[in-house]
Amino acid sequence: MIISMENFAKKYCIITYGCQMNLHESEKLAGILQTLGYFNTDDETDADIVVFNTCCIRENAEKKAEGNIGALKKLKRDKKDMIIAVGGCMTQQKGYAEKLMKKFPFIDIVFGTHNLENFAELILERTESKKHIVKVDDKEGKIVEGTPKARSSFPNGWVNITYGCDNFCTYCIVPYVRGRERSRDPEEIIKECENLISLGYKEITLLGQNVNSYGRDLGNIDFATLLRRVSALKGDFRLCFMTNHPKDLTEDLVKAIAESDKTARTVHLPVQAGSDRILKLMNRHYTREEYLEKIALLRKYMPDVSITTDIMVGFPTETEEDFNDTMSLVKEVRFGGAFTFVYSPRSGTPAAKMAGQVPEDVSKERIIKLIDLQNGINREQSRAYIGKTISVLCEGYDDRKKKYLGRDTYGRMAYFAGKGLIGKFVNVNIKKAGGISLMGELLSVEEEKDF
Ligand code: SF4
């Protein structure tokens, strides 16, 4: 019988909501917990500490998190020593931590987005004092380097380059819960990327709420320069970045993307709406025409680039005409993919107080039309892949489909059979196309490139 240390050790379970940013922050929380001697489990009933890393960008993510926290009430009654901790954007909202403790008094620790780096101390404080801990600083501090990370996304490595946001789009809660934009020291970013490459990571994604404004607070570097420096690092890897803001996408940056063999040929450029009137109300700082100029700029230097986007419907006062402007923009640009959302009022944002909230049934009808339109574009683009052989980075294995999966440089997902392929670039011949994904046959594993 093999007796593993894990059978005796304390275990943690992290439940994450929201975006890549949050997934990467959960890797930091996991790193901190592993440093304290905890092992990972996906089963919260088996865990000694359960951490909810929450998101408040949309109402349903918030409701889901609260539902899941509430569901642990009985477990906590039976397992009194189990620690329940709640962090992330939700807790950073004004007055929310107190509300949460009132609603779920069995929570042990509430910590804000600016307190993630102190998580180890909070656990030790809770263990020693047995008191409930609420630590939510309302102001962002200096960037803390050196937080341990237990990465769970091999062969994709996430690297923060900025924190916070200065844009104040009127619907968005991020600037209020993540603070002002701060750029990380470029040397720290380079060091982290070099380390990932040396560990065999094959895709590096530079992360920030608006990576295009990287360096503005440092004064001596911009995002195009950083991108050139990372893509010049020696190693066989693909370089991605997200997310971008159309107002800050410069020609020099587009050139930096285009001139690199390592930078993915996909750019995520959130448009949000196709109507100038709505874009103004959203405080997006660009018009429809200016957005289309950015699309033309990207296509001038990279005619085959795949542009993906975020689109919101039902923003306050959105009329049928505004919505039709969004539809016509989608038809014109032909995005390689779109995250589509119904506007959800976030308390504390200017849009939540605007008159003219759009009725739910109208928003629902609009989103269905929009999804339908984008699905049709996705299908046509996917069909064009049939018969082609593409280079795919194998990222994982889908247990349900019993196939490996990975994406090409345009971000298109492909499934294929094989063995031991995770972390390898492979050539796949496409046989069938679904909506946004492809089915293919593995032809070969690529040789490591000597870049
Ligand atoms: S750019 Fe706008 S939508 Fe994006 S995080 Fe900043 S405020 Fe929110």
Side-chain angles (χ1 to χ4, degrees):
M1 183 178 145
I2 300 167
I3 300 176
S4 157
M5 269 300 289
E6 290 184 36
N7 294 336
F8 302 103
K10 291 195 167 195
K11 293 181 187 154
Y12 69 87
C13 174
I14 302 178
I15 301 163
T16 310
Y17 306 82
C19 60
Q20 253 95 15
M21 210 75 137
N22 252 22
L23 287 174
H24 184 45
E25 288 192 344
S26 286
E27 292 183 333
K28 291 185 190 171
L29 290 167
I32 293 170
L33 287 160
Q34 288 187 13
T35 309
L36 292 177
Y38 285 84
F39 284 83
N40 181 38
T41 173
D42 293 332
D43 175 6
E44 61 254 37
T45 62
D46 191 33
D48 299 280
I49 174 161
V50 180
V51 187
F52 292 90
N53 188 11
T54 63
C55 168
C56 63
I57 300 261
R58 268 168 275 283
E59 199 184 0
N60 42 4
E62 213 170 89
K63 276 193 184 146
K64 199 167 157 198
E66 285 198 3
N68 293 350
I69 296 166
L72 287 196
K73 188 175 174 186
K74 183 177 175 307
L75 184 67
K76 176 74 180 174
R77 210 167 35 218
D78 300 342
K79 271 179 86 175
K80 290 210 164 29
D81 288 338
M82 180 179 77
I83 295 176
I84 297 178
V86 185
C89 299
M90 226 164 92
T91 60
Q92 194 66 44
Q93 296 174 90
K94 219 172 175 207
Y96 194 85
E98 294 70 26
K99 205 176 103 190
L100 201 65
M101 287 305 293
K102 220 168 167 186
K103 196 163 179 187
F104 306 111
F106 55 87
I107 294 175
D108 299 279
I109 303 169
V110 177
F111 62 104
T113 54
H114 307 315
N115 306 95
L116 185 146
E117 270 78 20
N118 315 112
F119 190 49
E121 293 151 39
L122 302 182
I123 296 171
L124 297 177
E125 196 183 328
R126 165 66 193 170
T127 314
E128 277 166 23
S129 72
K130 301 276 178 226
K131 285 192 186 134
H132 295 275
I133 315 273
V134 176
K135 181 80 179 147
V136 182
D137 290 350
D138 52 4
K139 203 143 173 53
E140 64 277 5
K142 280 211 174 91
I143 293 176
V144 179
E145 294 293 350
T147 306
K149 298 174 191 94
R151 296 186 185 268
S152 55
S153 49
F154 181 86
N156 314 98
W158 312 103
V159 177
N160 285 120
I161 67 163
T162 62
Y163 297 91
C165 182
D166 285 349
N167 288 319
F168 291 93
C169 301
T170 53
Y171 52 83
C172 184
I173 191 87
V174 167
Y176 306 94
V177 293
R178 295 261 166 196
R180 296 292 65 73
E181 185 177 277
R182 285 96 70 210
S183 301
R184 231 181 128 190
D185 177 351
E187 303 315 318
E188 292 290 342
I189 297 170
I190 297 291
K191 220 164 51 188
E192 187 171 345
C193 294
E194 282 175 334
N195 184 39
L196 287 170
I197 298 163
S198 73
L199 291 170
Y201 281 79
K202 294 292 177 200
E203 186 173 275
I204 292 176
T205 303
L206 305 177
L207 279 181
Q209 304 296 348
N210 174 15
V211 290
N212 303 158
S213 54
Y214 171 78
R216 207 166 278 171
D217 51 331
L218 300 177
N220 53 359
I221 187 165
D222 62 7
F223 184 54
T225 310
L226 180 74
L227 201 70
R228 287 188 174 105
R229 281 195 65 186
V230 178
S231 74
L233 293 176
K234 216 172 151 39
D236 189 7
F237 65 94
R238 185 189 285 165
L239 180 58
C240 305
F241 50 90
M242 70 188 303
T243 189
N244 303 280
H245 196 302
K247 75 175 167 58
D248 297 316
L249 188 90
T250 61
E251 183 156 10
D252 187 40
L253 173 56
V254 175
K255 283 187 191 165
I257 304 166
E259 73 202 22
S260 157
D261 287 338
K262 290 178 184 160
T263 306
R265 286 292 173 268
T266 174
V267 175
H268 187 68
L269 199 62
V271 64
Q272 305 297 0
S275 140
D276 283 344
R277 196 183 69 80
I278 296 294
L279 286 170
K280 193 151 193 249
L281 283 176
M282 286 177 165
N283 196 32
R284 290 291 289 173
H285 296 283
Y286 54 85
T287 61
R288 172 195 180 98
E289 202 186 322
E290 283 161 349
Y291 182 84
L292 290 171
E293 280 165 14
K294 301 289 174 161
I295 299 288
L297 190 63
L298 284 163
R299 289 183 172 154
K300 175 178 157 196
Y301 288 95
M302 295 173 284
D304 60 343
V305 69
S306 168
I307 299 158
T308 56
T309 199
D310 296 339
I311 307 173
M312 187 182 289
V313 301
F315 187 82
T317 76
E318 185 190 66
T319 61
E320 208 51 31
E321 200 185 334
D322 295 320
F323 173 66
N324 287 336
D325 284 344
T326 297
M327 292 289 274
S328 70
L329 183 116
V330 171
K331 283 183 202 152
E332 189 170 341
V333 177
R334 295 184 63 77
F335 292 106
F339 295 99
T340 52
F341 310 97
V342 169
Y343 164 75
S344 140
R346 304 285 62 215
S347 146
T349 62
K353 293 187 218 110
M354 284 181 189
Q357 302 285 326
V358 176
E360 219 180 294
D361 55 332
V362 174
S363 295
K364 233 186 210 161
E365 214 175 280
R366 289 179 187 165
I367 194 115
I368 290 170
K369 280 190 197 159
L370 178 64
I371 291 172
D372 229 40
L373 173 63
Q374 183 57 39
N375 281 350
I377 296 169
N378 289 343
R379 269 195 303 275
E380 279 174 35
Q381 291 176 343
S382 291
R383 270 203 296 269
Y385 271 85
I386 296 176
K388 288 189 180 155
T389 296
I390 58 171
S391 171
V392 169
L393 171 61
C394 180
E395 293 171 15
Y397 186 77
D398 186 317
D399 280 323
R400 214 166 35 86
K401 286 193 163 76
K402 304 272 178 259
K403 298 264 191 246
Y404 281 96
L405 60 97
R407 284 169 298 124
D408 71 352
T409 188
Y410 306 104
R412 191 72 40 162
M413 182 72 80
Y415 292 86
F416 44 93
K419 217 173 171 194
L421 298 174
I422 296 176
K424 296 198 164 87
F425 284 101
V426 296
N427 291 307
V428 177
N429 184 256
I430 303 305
K431 303 287 181 198
K432 270 204 261 173
I436 44 163
S437 61
L438 311 164
M439 283 290 207
E441 185 190 324
L442 175 73
L443 294 187
S444 58
V445 176
E446 291 178 24
E447 294 274 319
E448 186 99 353
K449 288 186 209 80
D450 188 21
F451 278 115

